Each structure stands twice: as structure tokens, then as C-alpha cells.
Amino acid sequence: MKVQNLVVGCGLSGIVIANRIAKELNQEVLIIDSKNHIGGTCYDYKDDSGITVHQYGPHIFRTNSKEIWHYLSEYTEWYPFMHRVLGIIDGIEVPIPFNLNSLYKVFSPQLAQKLEIKLIEKFGFNKKIPILELRKTDDKDLNFLAEYIYEKVFLGYTIKQWNYTPEQLDPSVTGSVPVYISRDDRYFQEKYQGIPKAGYTKMFEQMLNYPNIRVRLNTSYKDIKDSIEFDRLFYTGAIEEFFEYKYGKLPYRSLNIKFEKYHQKKFQNAPVVNYPENYDFTRIAEYKYFLNEKSEDTILSLEYPEEFEQGKNDRIYPILNPENQEKYNKYLGEAQKLNNVYFLGRLGAYRYYDMNRTIANAFELFNEIK
Ligand code: UDP
């Protein structure tokens, strides 16, 4: 068989590149996925209770890019959702990212006020300070605060999530949830935020709904690679698998997500509640919040992070540290020798991309090849 464009992986990056090639270059695309559904880890479905569930954990879309927002808006309407997360610290619910409101939840008003004044004096109002930066301050009170937040918010959560401490990982990992010197309790501040009204899967179906796109599920690249020819291959799977592990495995974290359904209207006070200190799971998501769906039931997911093991679970999070990056760079060197094969997405690029970055990465590649 011969196709113009073969896309391996029908997750967000594969869908975006397939969509743009089919729509704007009017070329044919075959997109395959080893799973039995499209959407990769953004896949969602509606449960009998009328609640939309994200099978791989909560996904909230946000971007500052007008271009990306308008691009997706061709395929979906949006529920204008702004995400909020609470963390349980010493049994108290506090806004995460830790902000000025969080200060007043855990400390006496006098101490909170003293720390608030010091934070604003040192860094300014409306500033975001990564915890690893805050820990470097020499002020005694700010140092006390930094150690408190480090231990209560980051250390336990990060060890559960990654099996590493914050300083053993690339600073961008904990830097994406900085201490926020603000009263803004939202998890994200991007200009455009929302959840597709009919769900991510429906949006993806629309993005793939072109006569020159064919989708084949339950099909992995190794099943077809000897029987297919292509002009171009877009590979969104794990780069090390493509190169048959010639430089060894790249490690990933995975998630064992347990879903629970209760016959009650509400379980918790926010869409997501983080448990840095207690339990073996990191967080509980309550799905009816995301599209404000009404039901007599509620559905929760509890995320138990675990090591990725081939055949047991999925690669979800690349583990960003210098050693892994160095190994990835060897694979990248191999990739650069090929002239009609492109690697993209979280696994192709071995990067901790969120949805916005995943789309931006696919757009960059599209602009290169078009
Ligand atoms: N993090 C943490 N405590 C929290 C929230 C986040 O330690 O309450 C750290 C943790 O290392 C986590 C990272 O910040 O992996 C990024 O958090 P985010 O919520 O962005 O993770 P994702 O939704 O991508 O799993």
C-alpha cells in the first residue's frame, strides 16, 4: 500500500498535523493508532450518568494564542471553564498554586500579613515565583515560608508523582505551578481557557472529518511498516521505540487512574483537589464540574502515579532530567538523519508538553513542511 502521509498516533499532535495536511495541502493522510479510540490521552466519553469523563485524567485547555484558539474553535464550541485547584495542607483546603489567599488559610492573620508584605516588597504584586527560586531568598521570614510551601505543597506530591524530589527534575516541572503573589485563585491565567462543549473526542472527530483522512485504530506502526510506503511519516509515538531502543530506554511516569462513582450530587469543593501529604494518589478530579453537568451521581478519578512498564501501562510523562535529555538527544541525532520522517508530540519530542504546546509544536512542523 502507498500513502502520501502516514501519521502514527491519533492523539492531539497526530490529529493536528493530519488535519492541516488534509485541509490546507489537500493531500491524503492515513492516521493509525494502536488503541481502540482516537484522541490519545485527551480522550473523553460520556458516562450513563450524563457526565463527561476524561479517561486519562483531567484536561483543561488554555492558550494565549489567538491563532490556536480560533483554529480549535472551527471544530468545537467552548464551555468557558476556569480551572480551580485546592490542595489539602494539614487538613485545610487551600488554593493551589499557593497564593496570598492560601497564606491566610494556613497562618494567623498577623503572620500572613507580615509574609504578604514581605513577598510584595521583595518580588512585587502579581508576580509568579517558582518554589525553587523562593527557596533561595536570604530573608528569614520568606525562607520560613518557602520551606513551608516546599514541604507541604511540593515535596510529597512530587515524590509521589515522579519518584524524584523537585530539585532532581528540570526546574520547569515545579516551575509550572509557581507561588503566585496575587489573590487570583485560578490554576491558569491564560487569555483563552475552556473545555470543548461536546467533549474532546467530538472535537477530534470533527478535525478528522475530511474525505482525504483515513483513520485506522487497533493498528500499530510495526504491524504495517513492512507493507506500507509513504512520502512522509509523522511519528508521534515514543522516539526510542522507532529506533528500536538502540541507545536504551527512555523512562516515563505513568498513571494508574481509578474511577469511582457515587450516588451523591457532589463530592468535593473544587474540580480538582490535590493531596500532597496524604494517601498514595496525588489528586482527585470530579468530572461534573468541567462542563457543569447535572446528575444525581458524581464521578471521580484518583491518580496513582507509577513507573511506565511496556505492556502494563501507557507512557504519560517524560521524566525531564539531564541524563534522560542526553539520551533523547542521541535519538534526535538519528531522527535528523532521516529526511521524510518527523517526530512530534510529547513522546516524539520527549517533552512535557501541555495541549497548547503540543498544538504549537505541530503547527511549527506544519509550517516547516508545507
Ligand atoms: N506540583 C506539586 N504540588 C501540587 C501541584 C503540582 O508538587 O499541588 C508539582 C508536581 O511536581 C507536578 C508539577 O508541579 O508534577 C506540575 O503540576 P501540574 O498540575 O501542572 O501537573 P499535570 O497536570 O501536568 O500532571
Side-chain angles (χ1 to χ4, degrees), residues 58 62 85-87 96-97 131 150 152-159 161-162 164 166 169 172-177 187-188 255 274-276 282-283 303 317 346 352-354:
R62 73 277 179 189
V85 175
L86 293 170
I96 302 288
I131 185 62
Y150 177 80
K152 302 279 181 183
V153 178
F154 287 96
L155 188 58
Y157 190 107
T158 302
I159 289 175
Q161 173 70 18
W162 300 98
Y164 287 109
L169 295 160
S172 63
V173 174
T174 47
S176 70
V177 189
Y187 205 60
F188 305 117
L255 292 175
N274 289 357
Y275 291 83
T282 48
R283 60 187 175 192
E303 295 176 39
Y317 298 94
R346 247 192 209 200
Y352 185 9
Y353 286 153
D354 60 20

Side-chain angles (χ1 to χ4, degrees), residues 213-363:
I213 299 182
R214 270 182 304 150
V215 181
R216 260 175 69 180
L217 299 176
N218 303 305
T219 306
S220 62
Y221 179 59
K222 68 176 184 321
D223 300 337
I224 62 163
K225 71 177 201 222
D226 296 329
S227 59
I228 198 158
E229 288 174 55
F230 46 77
D231 295 335
R232 281 191 294 229
L233 169 63
F234 298 90
Y235 194 87
T236 75
I239 191 168
E240 69 281 15
E241 198 168 65
F242 183 89
F243 290 110
E244 294 170 345
Y245 303 100
K246 68 189 283 192
Y247 300 114
K249 290 183 183 173
L250 284 171
Y252 296 84
R253 284 304 266 178
S254 187
L255 292 175
N256 178 7
I257 302 191
K258 297 204 170 132
F259 288 93
E260 293 182 3
K261 189 169 179 173
Y262 292 108
H263 188 59
Q264 65 192 55
K265 285 215 162 128
K266 178 177 147 179
F267 176 81
Q268 61 191 22
N269 291 326
V272 168
V273 176
N274 289 357
Y275 291 83
E277 298 180 283
N278 300 102
Y279 306 111
D280 296 330
F281 51 82
T282 48
R283 60 187 175 192
I284 300 181
E286 183 167 14
Y287 287 92
K288 66 199 308 184
Y289 276 101
F290 293 122
L291 293 168
N292 193 25
E293 289 164 323
K294 304 295 175 209
S295 171
E296 295 303 310
D297 297 321
T298 193
I299 298 180
L300 314 176
S301 67
L302 285 67
E303 295 176 39
Y304 294 82
E306 58 186 22
E307 203 177 313
F308 162 72
E309 283 177 53
Q310 187 80 45
K312 177 183 167 201
N313 50 24
D314 297 308
R315 294 176 173 92
I316 302 207
Y317 298 94
I319 303 177
L320 302 186
N321 64 28
E323 186 191 339
N324 299 344
Q325 195 59 46
E326 200 175 305
K327 201 187 278 181
Y328 165 75
N329 286 340
K330 291 188 186 158
Y331 285 112
L332 186 62
E334 293 294 317
Q336 283 161 347
K337 291 183 202 156
L338 304 171
N339 58 19
N340 63 344
V341 183
Y342 305 91
F343 294 87
L344 69 162
R346 247 192 209 200
L347 307 186
Y350 200 67
R351 298 292 289 276
Y352 185 9
Y353 286 153
D354 60 20
M355 287 185 278
N356 174 53
R357 288 283 310 282
T358 303
I359 297 173
N361 172 239
F363 276 18

Side-chain angles (χ1 to χ4, degrees), residues 94-95 98-109 111-117 119 145 149:
V94 313
F98 197 97
N99 64 21
L100 297 178
N101 292 331
S102 317
L103 267 184
Y104 285 84
K105 296 271 182 198
V106 292
F107 298 126
S108 70
L111 179 55
Q113 194 179 33
K114 180 172 161 192
L115 293 168
E116 172 177 6
I117 290 166
L119 279 171
L145 176 65
I149 300 173

